[in-house]
Amino acid sequence: MRFLRKLSLKAAASKKSSGQITVFLALCFLVFLSLYLVCLQSVQKQHQRKQAEQAVEAGMFSLFSEYEPHLLDRYDLFYLDTSFGGGSERQEELCSHLWQFTKNNLTDGLGNYLQGLSLQGVNVNQLVRATDGRGAVFYRQAVQVMKEKTGADLAEDWLLQELFAEDGEENSRRFREDCEAYEGSVRDYEEEEEDEEDGESRRMDPEARQWDGLWQGFSLAAAVPDGYVVSERAVDLGSAPSVRELSVGAGIPQGGEQNLLTKQWFVSYLCEYLTQAQESMKEPREQGYLDYQLEYLIAGKDSDSENLDAVLTRLLLLREGANYLFLLSHPELRQKAEALAVLLAGMTGNGGLIKSLEQLILLGWAYGESLAEVRQLLGGYELSAVKTVADWQVPLSGLMTFLGDPGRYDVPIKVQKGISYETCLRIFLMTESWETLALRAMDVTEGELRQLEGCRNLHLDHCVERLTAQIWIEDLYLERSYGYE
């Protein structure tokens, strides 16, 4: 009995010690189990969030894959038409498309939502429209198109120095001033002399008086080469993007639009994708918005004929000013004008009148040469960048005959290389502000596309480059900005 009692006590003591260790392990197990469950729940939440983010990204990608195909096909531009061809913006349908695309990525094959990923709501805002910032969004994407086509990003990094940009802007400003000076010197000279010499001019020989105001006889028909037909297309600019009130989005100018090199990229884009008179007069189109689109960007008129007339007048005056200065700087050519002035007005004995007539003859001669050059440029020929006496085409003795038959010099006497009609257009385009170019380019782009079937109701201010989406998925809130890069 005593022996058994001792064994029993030991057994009891041993059992008590074992029970204390079990409780400690149980408590530890509960702690680790709680931590494990918390981690598991966190992983589950992160997994759900990751699935939601992927579904939203896929939904946004699918939404932007509905880009306007005609803009891409004709102009290599990516935009999402928020009117879906209807003419008026429909953000509800835009949200509906995004809802469906996102939902498809949150459900299984049977259409049931994945666990914890029930789609609750969708909204879109901060739409960046093509017309925002006075056309800055359109401008930047067009520039990017040309950079990608020519692979010029690296070249821009090398060339785009601050000094280069400042010098370019200064040269552009001086060019505009030179254009105005040339135009003033040609047009105002005669007015200054008219009052002083009016009495003497009446006593001059009629052949001498015909030099007075020779440039005023210019007409569009006189500058168009034989066999070319001027387009009669005209449009109503009242509904064009540059005139109408536009829908406003979140896009703004970024400051780089004023840069000269960036502007050159945009002008290159315009020259590649828009039409101009030299090409269109050779092969007239059966339908379209305007045929002389680059000329419209410069002149801004509502008809092809007015735009061409304005550009050719500007080109003629510029060339006349340059040719007039060329004549003044070459004594052998100037002597011929002086001799003719003496022959025509020498009987008056008035030295001032003879000198004035000499200048009028030089201006008239420069006008005749310039008219021949303009016709040749439209005909597809080029002019020398640096003119020499050998490049001069219209002789003084045959000037009047040429003005009566302008087609005599449509084919140059000497082949010249350097300045083409497109080069002249590029120069004129560079003198315009980037806002003017962007807005008028959008006029042409929208007008051209609205001639096509399926684009009759297209508005560029309903075409979006980027937007921000807000998506609610149960207790998750996601906000993503997405666009064409």
Side-chain angles (χ1 to χ4, degrees):
M1 294 293 292
R2 186 176 182 183
F3 175 73
L4 292 176
R5 190 181 299 116
K6 288 184 179 180
L7 289 178
S8 177
L9 290 175
K10 288 182 179 180
S14 175
K15 184 177 181 181
K16 183 177 180 181
S17 176
S18 176
Q20 290 177 348
I21 295 175
T22 302
V23 170
F24 174 76
L25 290 176
L27 291 175
C28 290
F29 175 76
L30 289 175
V31 171
F32 283 114
L33 180 61
S34 300
L35 179 61
Y36 171 77
L37 292 176
V38 169
C39 292
L40 183 62
Q41 186 177 24
S42 176
V43 169
Q44 184 182 19
K45 288 291 185 182
Q46 291 300 320
H47 178 65
Q48 290 177 343
R49 185 176 185 85
K50 192 65 176 178
Q51 284 183 307
E53 290 177 348
Q54 291 176 346
V56 170
E57 289 289 334
M60 295 286 282
F61 182 84
S62 299
L63 178 67
F64 276 84
S65 67
E66 295 185 314
Y67 54 82
E68 214 297 314
H70 302 88
L71 268 169
L72 179 63
D73 182 57
R74 294 287 293 271
Y75 299 103
D76 286 337
L77 298 175
F78 278 100
Y79 287 103
L80 175 64
D81 182 11
T82 57
S83 71
F84 297 94
S88 59
E89 188 166 78
R90 294 181 286 183
Q91 288 200 23
E92 297 82 2
E93 186 171 349
L94 189 66
C95 291
S96 175
H97 284 219
L98 180 57
W99 173 287
Q100 190 60 48
F101 290 137
T102 306
K103 180 181 178 182
N104 290 342
N105 290 280
L106 289 174
T107 55
D108 56 23
L110 299 177
N112 300 318
Y113 282 113
L114 301 177
Q115 184 178 5
L117 295 177
S118 175
L119 185 60
Q120 303 295 322
V122 167
N123 185 42
V124 294
N125 57 21
Q126 298 184 16
L127 279 67
V128 177
R129 307 173 187 274
T131 55
D132 284 347
R134 301 283 294 170
V137 176
F138 178 90
Y139 184 94
R140 289 195 295 268
Q141 189 171 149
V143 169
Q144 190 61 34
V145 168
M146 289 309 296
K147 288 181 179 179
E148 291 176 357
K149 292 188 70 171
T150 58
D153 285 330
L154 184 58
E156 184 182 36
D157 292 339
W158 289 343
L159 295 175
L160 193 54
Q161 304 295 331
E162 183 177 354
L163 181 61
F164 172 82
E166 291 177 356
D167 289 345
E169 291 294 339
E170 179 65 18
N171 292 337
S172 179
R173 182 187 64 79
R174 289 181 179 178
F175 177 80
R176 289 194 296 270
E177 293 176 354
D178 289 343
C179 290
E180 295 171 0
Y182 285 154
E183 181 175 349
S185 66
V186 174
R187 290 194 172 190
D188 297 339
Y189 175 81
E190 181 183 329
E191 296 175 1
E192 295 174 359
E193 300 292 340
E194 183 176 356
D195 295 335
E196 299 178 7
E197 308 297 343
D198 186 58
E200 294 290 349
S201 64
R202 289 194 182 92
R203 297 196 297 272
M204 282 194 300
D205 186 276
E207 188 176 350
R209 288 202 301 271
Q210 69 182 348
W211 293 92
D212 189 13
L214 194 62
W215 65 270
Q216 294 181 356
F218 171 76
S219 65
L220 178 60
V224 176
D226 294 339
Y228 284 52
V229 179
V230 177
S231 168
E232 297 181 357
R233 294 190 194 279
V235 296
D236 179 14
L237 295 177
S239 59
S242 62
V243 177
R244 73 170 185 261
E245 185 176 353
L246 301 170
S247 300
V248 180
I252 59 173
Q254 296 181 351
E257 293 82 10
Q258 303 262 7
N259 184 275
L260 180 64
L261 191 57
T262 302
K263 194 174 182 180
Q264 287 176 333
W265 287 124
F266 188 63
V267 169
S268 296
Y269 175 87
L270 298 175
C271 291
E272 179 162 342
Y273 288 88
L274 304 188
T275 60
Q276 43 104 331
Q278 181 196 340
E279 300 170 348
S280 300
M281 286 194 295
K282 292 179 181 179
E283 300 178 2
R285 300 186 301 168
E286 295 183 0
Q287 63 177 5
Y289 184 67
L290 286 172
D291 284 341
Y292 311 155
Q293 296 172 0
L294 292 181
E295 286 79 1
Y296 167 72
L297 266 61
I298 297 169
K301 307 295 183 181
D302 60 3
S303 68
D304 278 332
S305 59
E306 289 181 295
N307 289 318
L308 182 60
D309 181 72
V311 170
L312 293 187
T313 300
R314 187 173 176 182
L315 178 57
L316 180 69
L317 290 170
L318 182 61
R319 292 304 304 170
E320 184 177 358
N323 287 328
Y324 175 64
L325 295 179
F326 180 84
L327 290 172
L328 291 177
S329 63
H330 287 74
E332 65 274 19
L333 298 177
R334 188 170 181 177
Q335 286 174 4
K336 294 181 180 181
E338 183 181 3
L340 181 58
V342 171
L343 178 64
L344 296 177
M347 66 181 69
T348 64
N350 187 325
L353 180 61
I354 295 174
K355 195 68 175 176
S356 299
L357 181 58
E358 177 190 343
Q359 297 302 313
L360 290 174
I361 291 173
L362 289 173
L363 285 170
W365 196 3
Y367 166 77
E369 179 74 8
S370 303
L371 183 60
E373 290 176 341
V374 170
R375 291 175 66 95
Q376 290 169 6
L377 287 171
L378 275 178
Y381 297 100
E382 297 183 2
L383 303 177
S384 297
V386 180
K387 194 163 190 171
T388 64
V389 175
D391 296 324
W392 195 272
Q393 302 176 85
V394 181
L396 183 58
S397 59
L399 178 59
M400 293 302 175
T401 304
F402 162 71
L403 295 178
D405 180 19
R408 298 184 63 184
Y409 294 96
D410 284 354
V411 178
I413 297 175
K414 176 186 175 183
V415 177
Q416 303 180 43
K417 293 291 183 181
I419 301 175
S420 64
Y421 180 70
E422 183 176 310
T423 302
C424 298
L425 292 181
R426 284 175 176 267
I427 293 172
F428 292 147
L429 289 170
M430 288 297 294
T431 64
E432 301 292 335
S433 67
W434 72 266
E435 294 100 330
T436 299
L437 294 179
L439 287 170
R440 290 178 180 173
M442 290 191 297
D443 292 347
V444 172
T445 302
E446 182 178 287
E448 276 292 306
L449 290 178
R450 295 184 74 172
Q451 306 295 314
L452 304 177
E453 192 65 34
C455 289
R456 305 293 186 186
N457 299 315
L458 179 72
H459 293 83
L460 282 181
D461 53 328
H462 296 159
C463 294
V464 173
E465 182 185 72
R466 175 176 290 276
L467 59 80
T468 299
Q470 299 169 307
I471 297 96
W472 290 266
I473 303 175
E474 289 200 5
D475 57 345
L476 294 176
Y477 169 73
L478 300 175
E479 183 173 305
R480 292 293 182 271
S481 180
Y482 204 89
Y484 299 111
E485 298 294 343

